[in-house]
Amino acid sequence: MATLLVGDVHGCYDELQALLRQAAFDPAADTLWFTGDLVARGPKSLEVLRFIQSLGDSARVVLGNHDLHLLAVAEGLQAPKAADQLQAVLQAPDRDQLLQWLRHQPLIQQHAEFAFLMVHAGISPLWDLTTLQQCAQAVATQLQSTEYPQLLAALYGDQPDHWSSELSTVEQWRYTVNVLTRLRFCYPDGRLALQCKQTVSAAPPLLIPWFQLALPSTQGQQVVFGHWAALMGQGTPPGFYALDTGCVWGGKLSLLRWEDQHYFFQPSCSNRDGVGITLSE
């Protein structure tokens, strides 16, 4: 039995299948953990969703910003972007089944035995573990309810950028989703700097990568995340694992076998630069 952690797939179905062959994935015995952004920008988001859903309990998923955007587009709350290549999902005969499955995935996953926590993007330095769990669960509960469009409509925007328990319910939802699915940098006081998408070396001096701040919520746990392709899996402190290595941008898809800390890499089938898209997006 193996615990296999996979970086952002972004519709790169062929690379995912090749990577799983490398790792000798056995769905009857192994568990696949995905860092989110299953869909968008790559050519086969529909195939990716169908495959991961078919794994049942052999898959663990956290939602990424592109996964949530797909749900918002499906509800008519956001306009589809041609570069996202999501029409096959939106027009699929099993669309409703796939989208219902997607919105029932959480924003965080924890492994009790191995003491690691998985998120798509980042963790607020202003949260303790209880607050992190409660905020993530509040969003998941709303997303899984019949009133989930109310949540999806409230997600867009960069404010509030600072946590307070006195924020309104909608503000708490937006802050939570921005942290867990969009965060890269913070200011020294913990405020979110969501507009900065550069590499660490190119960022303004005042900004700090979220994983370099004190994080009360992660004490005693290691953290696995995706989202930040520009890191290419490098530059994180011990106990932090950055698994998005930019497959959809012409990089590679990464998989970490947790038990022996062995990495597998599958190069992109082609260089998909997109139009106006950079590796850091």
Side-chain angles (χ1 to χ4, degrees):
M1 297 176 61
T3 305
L4 308 175
L5 315 181
V6 182
D8 300 21
V9 179
H10 273 297
C12 295
Y13 176 79
D14 294 339
E15 291 90 338
L16 174 60
Q17 293 301 318
L19 186 66
L20 297 182
R21 287 193 293 271
Q22 278 195 58
F25 169 59
D26 179 358
D30 303 334
T31 305
L32 283 178
W33 294 61
F34 292 91
T35 62
D37 277 1
L38 306 179
V39 303
R41 307 300 169 91
K44 295 185 177 180
S45 292
L46 176 59
E47 290 86 344
V48 168
L49 288 178
R50 285 173 171 167
F51 170 68
I52 297 176
Q53 185 205 30
S54 75
L55 295 174
D57 291 340
S58 295
R60 302 284 187 274
V61 172
V62 296
L63 292 174
N65 52 307
H66 283 279
D67 306 317
L68 291 171
H69 185 68
L70 168 60
L71 294 171
V73 168
E75 289 299 317
L77 300 170
Q78 291 289 315
K81 301 175 184 178
D84 283 339
Q85 302 188 65
L86 294 174
Q87 283 306 111
V89 177
L90 297 171
Q91 297 173 358
D94 52 347
R95 156 195 160 135
D96 291 345
Q97 177 187 354
L98 292 170
L99 296 181
Q100 181 175 0
W101 170 82
L102 189 64
R103 69 180 178 88
H104 279 74
Q105 304 310 306
L107 273 74
I108 65 171
Q109 293 270 14
Q110 294 176 265
H111 196 296
E113 179 184 354
F114 295 135
F116 69 72
L117 184 153
M118 177 179 280
V119 298
H120 175 63
I123 297 172
S124 172
L126 305 179
W127 284 340
D128 58 22
L129 180 58
T130 299
T131 304
L132 165 61
Q133 293 169 329
Q134 289 176 343
C135 287
Q137 185 57 53
V139 170
T141 297
Q142 182 67 20
L143 189 60
Q144 295 167 18
S145 77
T146 58
E147 298 180 354
Y148 69 92
Q150 179 185 2
L151 168 73
L152 296 171
L155 296 186
Y156 292 84
D158 295 345
Q159 296 296 324
D161 63 358
H162 198 275
W163 172 254
S164 168
S165 59
E166 297 181 1
L167 294 172
S168 70
T169 297
V170 169
E171 289 174 328
Q172 289 191 25
W173 289 345
R174 189 183 305 120
Y175 179 89
T176 298
V177 169
N178 281 342
V179 167
L180 297 177
T181 72
R182 295 180 59 203
L183 184 62
R184 293 183 180 91
F185 291 97
C186 293
Y187 291 96
D189 63 358
R191 286 182 299 122
L192 312 182
L194 296 171
Q195 290 304 310
C196 185
K197 300 179 180 181
Q198 287 107 316
T199 61
V200 175
S201 60
L206 189 62
L207 300 186
I208 305 169
W210 66 268
F211 49 74
Q212 291 182 1
L213 293 166
L215 299 170
S217 62
T218 66
Q219 299 304 311
Q221 296 193 83
Q222 301 182 81
V223 180
V224 180
F225 67 101
H227 184 59
W228 202 342
L231 294 176
M232 291 302 289
Q234 304 297 314
T236 58
F240 290 81
Y241 299 81
L243 292 185
D244 183 4
T245 45
C247 182
V248 75
W249 314 122
K252 57 194 176 185
L253 191 60
S254 295
L255 181 153
L256 170 62
R257 186 168 58 206
W258 188 262
E259 284 79 357
D260 61 1
Q261 298 289 288
H262 182 79
Y263 283 89
F264 299 85
F265 301 105
Q266 179 62 38
S268 174
C269 290
S270 62
N271 191 338
R272 305 183 186 97
D273 292 326
V275 179
I277 303 301
T278 64
L279 186 65
S280 63
E281 192 152 317

